[in-house]
Amino acid sequence: MIRRAYTWLFDHFIYRTDPERAHHLGIKAIELAGKVPVTRGLMRATMGYEEPFFSASIPSGHPSREITLGNRRVRGRLGLAAGMDKDAQAVLGLDALGFGFIEIGTVTPKAQPGNDAPRLWRLHGEHGLRNRMGFNNDGADAAAARLRELRSTKAGRAAIVGANIGKNKTTSEEMAAGDYEYCARILSPWVDFIVVNVSSPNTPGLRDLQSVDALRPILQAAARGIHASVSDRQVPLFVKIAPDLSPEDIIEIVELTKELDMAGVVATNTTIDHDLGEGGVSGAPLYDKALDVVRLVADHLDDDQILIAAGGIFTVEDAIRMLNAGADMVEAFSAFIYQGPSWPGEINRALSQY
């Protein structure tokens, strides 16, 4: 009922609005609703997701099998990908809507405005998005302050939150490791996992940092940042990769994560394999390419590492195909925009019964 109403509203009105303005209004609405215990409870009761009892008899690899991030049990296999809540504003509302975990960001050390508008476009007929946002965010200190406030409440401590981190546009490639170390150090006391983003196409030169020689010091710096500020618990470290890398490059990155004893990989970011102009494409047009990358990564990760799949997941069948390809969890962004607020709870409920 809620999904049908939202779909009608989207098709007749929302898609005619400016995408970035609609995004800001949507996040603000979710933020305000999540701050009030009554509305937050109504959201969880009507649209959200309550985790099932995990049974030890469920076979490994099954979507309902218990999985942990550090010492936190993940309540649902579907989480929110980075890019929706860049500044940790709406975590409580997003959690109430049924996401199993929320990845904020991308967060950079210093606040930056991002690229000039227009920088976000809907591919309405294809259920996709194209963006050239450029890591617009309030900076690591502001995000840490919001997360610290979030964690001061029982509801905020219950949410599973990760931080996606990047470098500032003005930071040279040679100095990039320092940006990642700073973000990891500032944010890790307040989050459950960290994701190193070197795969956005919208910061000049960023994807060049995916070469193993350039990536190794960045990942080592992020790990140092975590260890410098958190000593009483594990904060898993991931790297997010692009879908446009060659198979050989992907395998090299996976081998590097094993060498550095990292938690795993997030696959994938947006694709530049299109002819629509600047920026990366996400949503349904990305799905097949992302699925191929997930299969390849899964074939080379160690059994105790975690693979989070992202890219064009719209249906429970899409999610299950990713899980069957070797992913442990899945993330989405575009589908949430197209399908509406009841969608994450619906998907997590369906996955719990698979």
Side-chain angles (χ1 to χ4, degrees), residues 34-70:
K35 284 183 174 180
V36 181
V38 173
T39 55
R40 189 169 67 239
L42 286 172
M43 290 162 65
R44 191 177 299 279
T46 57
M47 294 181 286
Y49 168 72
E50 296 293 340
E51 62 179 324
F53 173 75
F54 284 101
S55 170
S57 64
I58 297 175
S60 178
H62 189 285
S64 293
R65 181 76 177 183
E66 179 176 345
I67 189 167
T68 59
L69 284 168

Side-chain angles (χ1 to χ4, degrees), residues 27 31 35 80 83-94 102-107 136-151 161-164 187 190-191:
I27 281 293
E31 176 189 2
K35 284 183 174 180
L80 179 66
M84 174 63 70
D85 189 2
K86 292 177 177 292
D87 296 303
Q89 296 172 281
V91 171
L92 288 177
L94 292 163
I102 295 105
E103 188 178 326
I104 67 150
T106 297
V107 179
N136 55 304
N137 74 107
D138 293 340
D141 292 341
R146 290 194 183 99
L147 290 165
R148 182 169 61 247
E149 181 180 0
L150 175 79
R151 297 307 200 184
V161 186
N164 184 295
L187 296 170
W190 314 111
V191 298

Side-chain angles (χ1 to χ4, degrees), residues 181-226:
E181 182 171 357
Y182 182 83
C183 288
R185 179 170 58 82
I186 293 297
L187 296 170
S188 58
W190 314 111
V191 298
D192 300 299
F193 62 100
I194 295 283
V195 180
V196 168
N197 186 352
V198 286
S199 52
S200 169
N202 301 319
T203 295
L206 189 74
R207 284 195 169 188
D208 295 339
L209 301 178
Q210 291 180 110
S211 69
V212 168
D213 288 344
L215 184 57
R216 179 180 281 105
I218 288 172
L219 298 179
Q220 290 172 328
R224 283 197 304 272
I226 294 171

Side-chain angles (χ1 to χ4, degrees), residues 47-328:
M47 294 181 286
Y49 168 72
E50 296 293 340
E51 62 179 324
F53 173 75
F54 284 101
S55 170
S57 64
I58 297 175
S60 178
H62 189 285
S64 293
R65 181 76 177 183
E66 179 176 345
I67 189 167
T68 59
L69 284 168
N71 62 351
R72 299 296 304 277
R73 187 176 73 180
V74 179
R75 295 175 293 174
R77 289 297 166 105
L78 171 71
L80 179 66
M84 174 63 70
D85 189 2
K86 292 177 177 292
D87 296 303
Q89 296 172 281
V91 171
L92 288 177
L94 292 163
D95 180 68
L97 288 175
F99 284 108
F101 56 99
I102 295 105
E103 188 178 326
I104 67 150
T106 297
V107 179
T108 56
K110 298 177 183 177
Q112 61 181 28
N115 296 322
D116 294 337
R119 53 190 183 179
L120 179 63
W121 299 266
R122 301 185 189 97
L123 310 177
H124 187 56
E126 302 175 74
H127 279 176
L129 299 170
R130 175 168 66 95
N131 91 84
R132 52 179 295 276
M133 301 299 291
F135 290 170
N136 55 304
N137 74 107
D138 293 340
D141 292 341
R146 290 194 183 99
L147 290 165
R148 182 169 61 247
E149 181 180 0
L150 175 79
R151 297 307 200 184
S152 70
T153 67
K154 181 178 180 180
R157 290 189 295 273
I160 298 178
V161 186
N164 184 295
I165 61 174
K167 79 173 188 72
N168 281 115
K169 183 177 182 178
T170 56
T171 301
S172 67
E173 294 178 28
E174 293 75 20
M175 302 299 291
D179 277 17
Y180 289 94
E181 182 171 357
Y182 182 83
C183 288
R185 179 170 58 82
I186 293 297
L187 296 170
S188 58
W190 314 111
V191 298
D192 300 299
F193 62 100
I194 295 283
V195 180
V196 168
N197 186 352
V198 286
S199 52
S200 169
N202 301 319
T203 295
L206 189 74
R207 284 195 169 188
D208 295 339
L209 301 178
Q210 291 180 110
S211 69
V212 168
D213 288 344
L215 184 57
R216 179 180 281 105
I218 288 172
L219 298 179
Q220 290 172 328
R224 283 197 304 272
I226 294 171
H227 296 151
S229 58
V230 179
S231 59
D232 60 342
R233 61 186 175 90
Q234 182 183 3
V235 179
L237 179 63
F238 295 83
V239 61
K240 187 170 188 176
I241 63 172
D244 307 309
L245 293 167
S246 71
E248 294 77 16
D249 288 339
I250 291 171
I251 293 170
E252 284 190 357
I253 292 174
V254 173
E255 293 302 318
L256 179 60
T257 68
K258 294 192 285 188
E259 173 192 329
L260 299 180
D261 197 26
M262 291 176 57
V265 173
V266 179
T268 65
N269 213 315
T270 59
T271 180
I272 57 173
D273 184 17
H274 60 83
D275 57 3
L276 300 173
E278 292 183 333
V281 167
S282 60
L286 174 59
Y287 183 81
D288 289 341
K289 183 184 283 282
L291 182 61
D292 287 342
V293 174
V294 165
R295 289 194 183 103
L296 180 61
V297 172
D299 285 343
H300 291 84
L301 277 179
D302 283 341
D303 290 342
D304 61 349
Q305 289 182 291
I306 296 171
L307 173 55
I308 303 175
I313 296 165
F314 269 72
T315 67
V316 66
E317 291 78 17
D318 292 338
I320 289 170
R321 287 179 69 196
M322 287 290 192
L323 294 168
N324 286 340
D328 298 287

